[in-house]
């Protein structure tokens, strides 16, 4: 499975990428530091990523509008939001905007793997 992670915090992005790549899920993971970079990677990819994990609060997101922009750039493939802003209002707004899932950054790493499975 091919996964694109977009988060503006380098430490978190690199840690997530390394953790997912070392898991038993057999993932190919590509990382970006902003929504424009993620959109560019998706448009240049030979085929859509199977899953995109976006930080809700990073450059280029423009609130929930970034979800639709990413879905369009990645041929409508599922978008998961990974965010510290896990209020009920944000979760519902993200789902309403087209996200398939909302993963709070407070979730443990093993729980994130369960969510991806």
């Amino acid at each position: 499975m091919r996964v694109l992670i977009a988060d503006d915090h380098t430490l978190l992005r690199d840690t997530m990428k390394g953790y997912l790549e070392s898991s038993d899920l057999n993932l190919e993971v590509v990382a970006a530091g902003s929504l424009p970079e993620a959109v560019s990677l998706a448009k240049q990819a030979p085929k859509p990523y199977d899953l995109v994990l976006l930080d809700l609060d990073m450059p280029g997101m423009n609130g929930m509008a970034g979800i639709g922009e990413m879905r369009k750039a990645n041929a409508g493939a599922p978008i998961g939001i990974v965010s510290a802003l896990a209020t009920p209002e944000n979760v519902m707004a993200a789902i309403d905007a087209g996200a398939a899932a909302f993963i709070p950054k407070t979730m443990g790493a093993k729980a994130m793997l369960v969510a991806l499975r």
Side-chain angles (χ1 to χ4, degrees):
M1 184 163 112
R2 296 174 62 240
V3 178
L4 172 60
I5 296 172
D7 194 297
D8 60 327
H9 293 99
T10 305
L11 177 62
L12 179 66
R13 181 178 66 240
D14 291 350
T15 301
M16 282 180 54
K17 182 179 187 303
Y19 184 73
L20 293 176
E21 288 175 333
S22 69
S23 74
D24 64 349
L25 296 179
N26 193 29
L27 302 175
E28 174 190 332
V29 183
V30 175
S34 67
L35 182 66
E37 184 182 356
V39 166
S40 177
L41 287 168
K43 287 181 177 180
Q44 294 172 19
K47 63 181 184 174
Y49 289 92
D50 299 303
L51 175 65
V52 177
L53 298 174
L54 295 179
D55 180 11
L56 187 57
D57 186 26
M58 68 173 171
M61 280 297 288
N62 298 319
M64 301 299 166
I67 297 169
E69 185 178 346
M70 189 69 237
R71 284 194 57 159
K72 182 178 177 185
N74 197 48
I79 305 291
I81 298 298
V82 180
S83 179
L85 306 173
T87 65
E89 295 81 18
N90 280 340
V91 172
M92 291 309 302
I95 300 300
D96 289 346
F102 196 107
I103 301 170
K105 286 185 177 178
T106 56
M107 178 182 284
K110 288 182 183 178
M112 185 176 67
L113 288 181
V114 170
L116 291 178
R117 281 189 180 99

